[in-house]
Amino acid sequence: MKILFGQGLSIFIILLALSALLLYTLWGWPNDNAWWSLLETRYAEIPLGAWIIIVLILISFSFSLNTLLKVRDQEKRIETSLRPLLEAESFIPNNKKYAYSKRLQVTTKQLEQLILTQRKTLQRITNEKAEAQDKLIQERIVQERQRLARELHDSVSQQLFAASMLLSTMVEIEESQNGEASKTLLQTEKIVQQAQLEMRALLLHLRPAALHDKTLKQGMEELLIELQQKVFFTIRYRLEEVPLPKGAEDHLFRIAQETLSNTLRHANATEVDILFVERDDLAIFRVQDNGVGFEVSDAKTGSYGLENVMERAVEIGATCKVVSVPSQGTIVEVKLPIEKNTGSPSNFAQEQIAISEEAAPQPPQGIGM
């Protein structure tokens, strides 16, 4: 309203000045003969001069109102065309309802390109920052895992080993003196040995999950050689170089750690066989032990480690199969398809026979794959 009144008043003053200038041009300087007629001449009892002022007021405010409405309409058109830019859309009105000057269209298009470019730049910067933070967090996690593993190995693990050796010596002395060791001493020795296995399983978990510059075969060989020196049971393995993506190798390495850790903690096995080979575009990883086994239906609902193995297998598009019979042993097998078109159906059949008869360790009696 203030804009309408101010603009109308300005136009009225201008028109009134132009009218006075026109009368001055026609009649000269105001005098009684000419200018007085503006008050004496009446139409509908209203002097001519008053009519002139009324007409000028109507013209002024009508023009002001029309201009204001056009400006508001143009603002609405511009707002309608620019609003999609805030919603990451591209919109330049082409119909007559929203048409405006070509110059403004060019400016709007340039503004659109600028906003989209800045939005993409901000998204890229945000993504790079998040990736850098994730990488830093992962590096710190690995460093902390390694630090904990070193401290546990140098302190608790060594103390458990010393306690185990001391108890073994005490058992031998008591057996030599009394013919047999006491049940309490034997039970204590068993508890310490089990604690050693738990500690070795924990250290296995704390190892770095990534292979870095090593292949999966190299990483698993290093893991198994180190493990052979620390456990009481026999470990046999057959490993082949299998071309896999880095992410799949890291997941399979973690699956191997998880499976061996479960074997250390729960299997009470005397023999463990590990197989990692490639057959007919499949990477096959298998861990088999002759331990106490379990009911698979019960393990699926209560085994956190087994759930981790299955979840990691699904994440890389592999299948995981667990076969276990109480008192006979357990087999965990993961099969991952690889992108390689070699071999034939006949070769595949022969190679599968080679896996079951030569390469892979035989399953415990009563266990079928």
Side-chain angles (χ1 to χ4, degrees):
M1 183 60 70
K2 291 182 179 180
I3 297 176
L4 177 63
F5 180 77
Q7 190 177 23
L9 182 61
S10 300
I11 295 174
F12 170 71
I13 294 174
I14 293 172
L15 292 178
L16 185 62
L18 290 175
S19 300
L21 181 62
L22 178 62
L23 292 176
Y24 173 77
T25 303
L26 295 175
W27 292 343
W29 192 257
N31 52 68
D32 294 341
N33 295 329
W35 290 80
W36 191 255
S37 60
L38 295 175
L39 297 177
E40 291 180 344
T41 306
R42 293 175 177 270
Y43 295 95
E45 301 300 326
I46 299 176
L48 178 60
W51 279 110
I52 293 175
I53 292 174
I54 292 172
V55 170
L56 292 179
I57 290 175
L58 292 175
I59 293 174
S60 300
F61 283 92
S62 298
F63 183 79
S64 177
L65 180 61
N66 182 61
T67 304
L68 183 61
L69 292 176
K70 287 185 177 181
V71 171
R72 292 288 174 84
D73 183 62
Q74 190 70 15
E75 287 178 351
K76 185 177 181 181
R77 293 178 185 177
I78 296 174
E79 180 185 2
T80 303
S81 62
L82 294 181
R83 183 171 295 278
L85 299 182
L86 300 177
E87 302 173 358
E89 298 178 0
S90 177
F91 175 73
I92 296 296
N94 295 319
N95 53 36
K96 294 182 179 180
K97 182 179 179 181
Y98 296 107
Y100 49 83
S101 67
K102 185 176 293 185
R103 182 177 178 182
L104 189 56
Q105 289 185 12
V106 173
T107 304
T108 305
K109 191 65 178 177
Q110 292 175 348
L111 180 61
E112 175 191 7
Q113 294 298 329
L114 178 62
I115 293 175
L116 293 178
T117 302
Q118 290 182 344
R119 183 179 289 117
K120 291 179 180 179
T121 302
L122 289 174
Q123 291 175 348
R124 177 177 56 81
I125 293 174
T126 302
N127 293 335
E128 290 177 354
K129 183 178 179 181
E131 291 175 359
Q133 289 178 343
D134 289 343
K135 185 177 180 180
L136 180 62
I137 290 173
Q138 292 300 322
E139 290 176 354
R140 290 180 177 176
I141 289 175
V142 170
Q143 293 174 0
E144 184 65 15
R145 289 163 67 103
Q146 292 175 337
R147 184 188 67 81
L148 288 174
R150 285 194 301 268
E151 291 185 359
L152 288 173
H153 180 271
D154 295 340
S155 58
V156 181
S157 182
Q158 296 299 327
Q159 292 173 2
L160 286 173
F161 177 75
S164 177
M165 295 297 294
L166 181 60
L167 286 169
S168 298
T169 303
M170 294 175 64
V171 169
E172 291 177 0
I173 293 174
E174 190 166 341
E175 286 179 347
S176 63
Q177 292 178 352
N178 304 326
E180 62 178 1
S182 65
K183 292 184 179 179
T184 302
L185 191 59
L186 291 175
Q187 187 176 7
T188 304
E189 182 185 25
K190 185 177 180 180
I191 291 173
V192 172
Q193 289 176 351
Q194 183 62 34
Q196 280 187 286
L197 290 177
E198 291 283 345
M199 179 58 64
R200 286 163 184 160
L202 179 59
L203 293 176
L204 189 63
H205 267 291
L206 291 175
R207 287 174 61 93
L211 294 169
H212 299 295
D213 297 330
K214 300 175 184 177
T215 65
L216 181 56
K217 177 186 176 183
Q218 293 170 341
M220 291 182 63
E221 280 181 345
E222 181 181 318
L223 174 67
L224 294 173
I225 291 173
E226 180 182 346
L227 197 59
Q228 279 179 323
Q229 301 171 356
K230 298 179 179 180
V231 296
F232 304 112
F233 51 79
T234 302
I235 297 179
R236 296 187 297 267
Y237 58 89
R238 177 181 174 183
L239 306 174
E240 295 181 1
E241 288 288 358
V242 181
L244 291 174
K246 182 63 177 175
E249 285 191 333
D250 288 342
H251 270 60
L252 282 176
F253 185 65
R254 196 59 177 165
I255 288 174
Q257 288 179 295
E258 190 77 48
T259 306
L260 291 171
S261 174
N262 288 341
T263 302
L264 282 173
R265 288 180 174 179
H266 310 298
N268 292 330
T270 59
E271 295 181 357
V272 177
D273 296 280
I274 296 95
L275 176 71
F276 178 62
V277 295
E278 175 190 355
R279 293 294 183 271
D280 194 60
D281 301 336
L282 286 175
I284 302 175
F285 171 74
R286 182 187 298 159
V287 177
Q288 176 178 330
D289 65 66
N290 65 345
V292 296
F294 56 87
E295 291 291 344
V296 177
S297 58
D298 297 336
K300 287 183 179 179
T301 58
S303 175
Y304 179 73
L306 197 58
E307 288 180 1
N308 273 344
V309 170
M310 293 181 175
E311 288 176 0
R312 288 184 181 276
V314 171
E315 287 178 4
I316 57 176
T319 59
C320 180
K321 189 175 183 180
V322 180
V323 178
S324 184
V325 175
S327 302
Q328 297 191 38
T330 303
I331 298 175
V332 178
E333 184 179 71
V334 176
K335 291 184 178 181
L336 173 64
I338 55 179
E339 296 180 0
K340 185 178 179 182
N341 297 320
T342 58
S344 62
S346 59
N347 291 336
F348 168 64
Q350 296 174 359
E351 290 170 345
Q352 286 294 88
I353 294 174
I355 291 178
S356 60
E357 296 183 354
E358 300 177 3
Q362 296 298 322
Q365 184 177 3
I367 298 180
M369 293 303 290

